[in-house]
Amino acid sequence: MKITVVGTGYVGLVTGTCFAETGNTVTCVDIDAKKVEKLSAGQITIYEPGLEKLFLRNQKENRLLFTTNLEDAFHEAQVVFLALPTPPGEDGSADLKYILGVATQLGKLIQPGNYKVIIDKSTVPVGTADKVRDTILKAASVDISDDFDVVSNPEFLREGVAVDDFMKPDRVVIGTSSERAIKILNELYAPFVRQGNPILFMDERSAELTKYAANSFLAVKISFMNEIARLCELLGADVDMVRRGIGSDDRIGKRFLFPGIGYGGSCFPKDVQALVQSSIEAGYSFRILESVMEVNKEQKVILMPKILQHFNHELKGKKFALWGLSFKPNTDDIREAPAFDIIQELLYHGASVSAFDPEAMNNSRQVLGNAIEFAETPYHALKDADALVIATEWNEFRTPDFEKIQELLKNKVIFDGRNLFDLTQMENLGFHYESIGRRKLSSTK
Ligand SMILES: NC(=O)c1ccc[n+]([C@@H]2O[C@H](COP(=O)([O-])OP(=O)(O)OC[C@H]3O[C@@H](n4cnc5c(N)ncnc54)[C@H](O)[C@@H]3O)[C@@H](O)[C@H]2O)c1
């Protein structure tokens, strides 16, 4: 099948590459000419495990093409995916300017007798498929009402395991009532659901809401556990024990119960906010999600009171090593990453920061410039630092050389926002060690 993907970011590039991998010819369109130039030259623009190999193979076999020209890419395609940004607008609702802007362009390009399926893969509020359809019709100069369908097909991939998620999805959600579109999408997704995972067909509105409901539910689970962690600290319980205790209950499940310094990334924060705003517009106040946003905002800087107390509220002249900048491991995505909230707080209090991340250094440099130091290795970051702060649970931070850490740090002090280390081990090593929802170790040998 010939496919066009409009928007070649985290979702668009993975979508395009994975559809090419199953034999389709995919043209990815982006307005960012530099990005298109790089991709066309065989240079991948995001870090996503397993993606580069597929990207290079399909590009070599001419099944994966890149362009800035929507018109050229559009004419031959039967299916057009929109993988465009839907950032929060001023009131927190999803800003549809990118989607509707492209819909206007599509309205001018769709021709009678040349049927296309236009698919919203972006996360969009309920009613967007209708808006896209109306926008296309309005922009057309002739009657094309029978020449296209707009389908909602939200994407559930997780950055860091996006290729696996796309190739073997738990489910594919498709919102449409068009028989023509259903037939095409069944064919397109067949290779991805061979193991029996379902393609769930539903109406557009339910599909659109499913995506927000999924992300919001996971955000609730994270924030619930973060509040349990706060309570553990106050009551002298251990959140690891509580987590195991509740996670072994099938009704609750083990996943998304790890406490930490809050959720970040380009999806949960904006999607929870957008659902809250959609609810308000629908005349309903979604109180659970309003609380989740509040809890998460505090959680992102939950290490700060611990840091301030330890240093008697005097951080001026102190240096902090920071491990992890990406919002989660296995991605270079730094959007809404808690590390940045911590950095901002540390700088505000007069401290300096030396940071290391395995993949997110370039993206971080673009945002932070010279405001902090970027270290070559995790250990370079530690040199003469007063404490180590851990913000992202990259695997390579899990079993570090503690002797080296002790040698390099000025003080044996670690603030761990991801509960990476064992309490007994840290106690034996004599670290001052503070984590989330667990006993504080203040003894230093
Ligand atoms: N990132 C994720 O993990 C993830 C997962 C599921 C769903 N989503 C949703 O998918 C959508 C895209 O997210 P993303 O993370 O890929 O965004 P992104 O910012 O990484 O990529 C968007 C791309 O669209 C391009 N673009 C903007 N306007 C354009 C236009 N007019 N024509 C062509 N290209 C244009 C941008 O240059 C950029 O490359 C969002 O709605 C997001 O909520 C994201």
Side-chain angles (χ1 to χ4, degrees):
M1 211 178 282
K2 294 231 162 73
I3 297 172
T4 296
V5 177
V6 190
T8 314
Y10 284 87
V11 169
L13 189 57
V14 172
T15 301
T17 305
C18 292
F19 278 131
E21 180 67 11
T22 51
N24 301 290
T25 302
V26 183
T27 305
C28 295
V29 183
D30 206 285
I31 40 163
D32 182 339
K34 268 198 192 136
K35 192 180 270 192
V36 169
E37 198 181 315
K38 264 182 108 176
L39 289 164
S40 301
Q43 291 167 32
I44 198 149
T45 43
I46 55 170
Y47 173 73
E48 185 58 51
L51 184 63
E52 191 166 17
K53 197 173 131 204
L54 303 190
F55 162 79
L56 291 173
R57 179 166 61 218
N58 285 286
Q59 198 176 28
K60 200 170 140 217
E61 292 179 12
N62 275 328
R63 283 198 301 268
L64 186 59
L65 310 158
F66 299 93
T67 181
T68 50
N69 192 324
L70 176 62
E71 191 171 348
D72 286 353
F74 179 79
H75 284 303
E76 288 202 3
Q78 198 172 1
V79 173
V80 180
F81 281 95
L82 307 183
L84 293 156
T86 47
E90 267 171 34
D91 60 1
S93 62
D95 187 344
L96 293 179
K97 70 171 180 242
Y98 300 96
I99 302 268
L100 298 181
V102 171
T104 303
Q105 285 178 274
L106 295 180
K108 294 180 181 141
L109 296 173
I110 294 172
Q111 288 167 357
N114 189 0
Y115 176 75
K116 310 272 182 192
V117 190
I118 313 297
I119 305 178
D120 272 342
K121 210 165 221 344
S122 300
T123 303
V124 289
V126 173
T128 302
D130 294 338
K131 280 189 187 159
V132 170
R133 190 176 298 113
D134 292 348
T135 307
I136 290 175
L137 286 173
K138 215 167 133 195
S141 50
V142 287
D143 182 9
I144 51 164
S145 46
D146 288 334
D147 299 296
F148 73 100
D149 279 303
V150 177
V151 173
S152 165
N153 169 217
E155 181 50 54
F156 297 95
L157 65 78
R158 294 161 297 168
E159 288 175 21
V161 279
V163 173
D164 255 14
D165 280 350
F166 200 94
M167 297 304 285
K168 288 178 254 160
D170 289 340
R171 77 312 205 178
V172 175
V173 169
I174 293 175
T176 183
S177 52
S178 154
E179 289 301 326
R180 262 208 286 194
I182 288 175
K183 192 166 170 289
I184 290 171
L185 283 161
N186 254 329
E187 198 183 312
L188 191 59
Y189 274 110
F192 301 90
V193 292
R194 285 173 53 241
Q195 286 172 345
N197 290 344
I199 301 184
L200 302 171
F201 288 100
M202 56 183 82
D203 62 277
E204 292 95 325
R205 286 176 174 252
S206 303
E208 288 164 342
L209 189 54
T210 297
K211 173 66 191 177
Y212 282 106
N215 275 2
S216 298
F217 185 77
L218 294 172
V220 169
K221 212 170 168 188
I222 294 171
S223 285
F224 174 83
M225 211 50 205
N226 282 335
E227 288 211 279
I228 290 289
R230 290 191 206 176
L231 207 50
C232 283
E233 288 180 23
L234 294 170
L235 299 178
D238 183 333
V239 76
D240 278 343
M241 299 301 139
V242 180
R243 175 175 61 75
R244 285 193 202 132
I246 65 169
S248 43
D249 184 330
D250 278 351
R251 293 170 303 174
I252 296 172
K254 293 183 175 60
R255 298 167 74 185
F256 275 78
L257 290 182
F258 288 83
I261 45 173
Y263 59 77
S266 68
C267 293
F268 285 10
K270 86 169 168 53
D271 293 350
V272 170
Q273 204 182 356
L275 190 53
V276 165
Q277 193 55 34
S278 288
S279 306
I280 291 170
E281 283 161 24
Y284 181 70
S285 151
F286 206 139
R287 285 149 294 171
I288 291 178
L289 292 185
E290 283 165 9
S291 301
V292 164
M293 289 201 298
E294 208 179 302
V295 169
N296 197 58
K297 194 170 168 217
E298 285 172 18
Q299 198 70 22
K300 287 173 106 179
V301 287
I302 201 86
L303 288 178
M304 282 314 294
K306 298 176 197 260
I307 294 173
L308 284 165
Q309 194 188 17
H310 180 76
F311 290 104
N312 292 323
H313 291 262
E314 188 49 73
L315 302 188
K316 220 173 247 147
K318 297 272 184 294
K319 178 181 167 182
F320 288 84
L322 184 111
W323 284 5
L325 291 160
S326 56
F327 83 94
K328 67 173 182 180
N330 296 322
T331 180
D332 59 353
D333 196 344
I334 54 167
R335 291 176 281 188
E336 303 276 335
F340 287 74
D341 298 80
I342 297 173
I343 289 172
Q344 202 179 8
E345 284 288 315
L346 290 172
L347 296 180
Y348 170 79
H349 284 96
S352 63
V353 177
S354 179
F356 174 81
D357 186 283
E359 294 294 338
M361 301 282 262
N362 283 344
N363 286 346
S364 304
R365 244 186 228 112
Q366 281 172 29
V367 175
L368 294 167
N370 297 325
I372 67 163
E373 195 184 296
F374 291 95
E376 264 172 53
T377 68
Y379 299 102
H380 279 94
L382 298 170
K383 198 165 178 331
D384 295 327
D386 292 273
L388 164 63
V389 178
I390 299 174
T392 317
E393 65 276 34
W394 282 93
N395 266 342
E396 68 175 87
F397 301 153
R398 285 184 189 273
T399 44
D401 182 340
F402 284 110
E403 265 182 40
K404 218 164 156 184
I405 295 180
Q406 286 174 339
E407 268 168 39
L408 290 163
L409 277 181
K410 242 197 268 175
N411 307 308
K412 291 194 323 189
V413 181
I414 300 180
F415 297 96
D416 180 356
R418 300 296 178 182
N419 288 4
L420 293 192
F421 307 138
D422 180 68
L423 285 181
T424 314
Q425 187 187 15
M426 298 310 282
E427 199 159 30
N428 290 340
L429 288 166
F431 274 97
H432 176 100
Y433 179 66
E434 297 196 49
S435 49
I436 309 288
R438 305 191 296 177
R439 191 157 54 92
K440 163 178 167 179
L441 305 179
S442 27
S443 58
T444 45
K445 284 183 185 166

